[in-house]
Amino acid sequence: MPGPIGDNHRRPRRRNSQAEARRRFVFGALERPRTQAELRDALGMSNSGILHLLRRMERDGLVRPAERVACTRIWERAVKSTTDP
């Protein structure tokens, strides 16, 4: 027997306001290409935390890895636009 909402309905996911603020900061900071370390230090996040954030933003089509120099990955906006994510 389906629940009160039914099997085919899901509640929309709500983003944490801090997570949304981090996404906006990264999107704004990538007006020019930046290293993962620059973004990590600016946000005070761990290596794994910033990589997870960038991968999710990459999945959403907002950013992409531009190049890699030795062990340093450089990220940029995927689409040049003036709108926020």
Side-chain angles (χ1 to χ4, degrees), residues 8-59:
N8 296 331
H9 295 90
R10 285 189 184 185
R11 288 192 325 195
R13 285 179 45 182
R14 292 177 50 195
R15 282 203 183 114
N16 179 332
S17 62
Q18 288 182 338
E20 186 63 32
R22 286 191 295 266
R23 286 173 62 99
R24 287 185 185 277
F25 176 85
V26 168
F27 193 76
L30 290 177
E31 296 239 344
R32 69 172 182 82
R34 305 238 183 215
T35 66
Q36 192 170 314
E38 287 176 311
L39 296 169
R40 179 200 64 214
D41 293 344
L43 288 168
M45 296 178 74
S46 65
N47 285 327
S48 60
I50 193 66
L51 181 59
H52 183 71
L53 174 61
L54 289 166
R55 290 285 185 216
R56 287 179 57 195
M57 291 179 74
E58 181 183 22
R59 178 198 67 198

